[in-house]
Amino acid sequence: MKNQSKFPILFLQPVLKQMVWGGSRLRTDFGYESEADNLGECWGIAAHPNGDCAIKNEEFSDMTLSKLWKERPEFFGAYGTEQFPLLIKIIDAKSDLSIQVHPDDAYAQKNENGSFGKMECWYIIDCPENAVLVAGHNAGTAEELEGMVHDEKWDDLIRKIPIQKGDFIQIDPGTVHAITAGCLILETQQNSDITYRLYDYGRMVDGKPRELHIKQSLDVIQVPAKAAKDSVIKTGGLPENKMNELISCQYYTVYKLNVSEKCQISHYGSFLNMSVLEGSGTVDGIAVKKGDHFIIPANYGKIEMEGELEIIASDAK
Ligand code: ZN
């Protein structure tokens, strides 16, 4: 079947990142090639100075995603930003990540050399039984927050919420958050790397504690936190062969798509990111499998998919 677009589906070479808290599941579960045994992140769709995916398609083989974004904007649709707007990661946390918070655009532009802030969201690919994530805090006022931080009352301050495989969580800028040991997560986020570390469990890395950013954290933490019950969306039982919207915010819309046997979706508007989290099959006749990340060009039209595939997709606003 011929689609209306003159651009092909774009396949990306992930950038792998070693982290002190990383594990080996990106290699063993997802098949990414690496010798390292502390792989923390796979940047599957990224055009950031700290990680810029090479394009696998032969016709663009000398290009990175950021280069294509600059030189072939028509591929992505009418889009006004200088930078590719989103960043898609798979995160394997073998141990707890530090407790952190991100600024919004206004704070980051003013205090971080014109950078963007960070809205992010997590799809829980896998987690231990009875797992919890850190999302939000228990302080009622800014004074109470400051007091608890200065008195190091971390257990009282930090709010933990129970999660299960298949849950989806939006983390607004200003939300205290942390991924915990054993969680495997797909993260969709604004294309930003600005993180303020509030607490690191007093851990030492190479004999010294990692830097904390208490002032910036207190500047940006939202008080009171959003209600815990408004934070988690369950994705079990969603219809198959359909783009199910999980969230839509000012930066992105995220979808879950479970392909079973055969499906057809139509795509108009800006480009669409897709990450295969489970299974194998084809997309317009091209073989895809777990761990693949690709971009459907703007106004691509109809897409034929076959096989058994679990996909998280996103488009940018
Ligand atoms: Zn974060």
Side-chain angles (χ1 to χ4, degrees), residues 100 102 118 120 122 177 187 195:
Q100 49 186 248
H102 306 297
K118 185 157 39 151
E120 68 187 39
W122 300 333
H177 63 281
E187 181 176 87
T195 295

Side-chain angles (χ1 to χ4, degrees), residues 98 114 140 146 185 232 239 241 254 280 304 310:
S98 61
E146 212 177 313
I185 284 177
V232 178
N241 298 328
V254 176
S280 61
E304 301 265 2
E310 185 182 320

Side-chain angles (χ1 to χ4, degrees), residues 1-5 264-269 272 284 296-304:
M1 208 204 104
K2 204 90 187 97
N3 66 66
Q4 298 96 316
S5 170
Q264 190 184 74
I265 58 171
S266 283
H267 180 68
Y268 296 95
L272 186 64
D284 270 359
I296 309 286
N299 297 309
Y300 187 82
K302 288 190 171 52
I303 309 159
E304 301 265 2

Side-chain angles (χ1 to χ4, degrees), residues 9-10 16 28 58 61 64 67 98 105 124 131 150 177 181 193 198 201 205 218 251-252 269 277 287 296 300:
I9 296 172
L10 205 64
L16 300 172
T28 57
E58 222 170 281
S61 61
T64 59
K67 192 166 182 221
S98 61
D105 285 345
I124 313 297
H150 285 285
H177 63 281
D193 223 7
L198 176 65
Y201 304 95
V205 174
L218 290 174
Y251 301 105
Y252 48 71
L277 300 184
I296 309 286
Y300 187 82

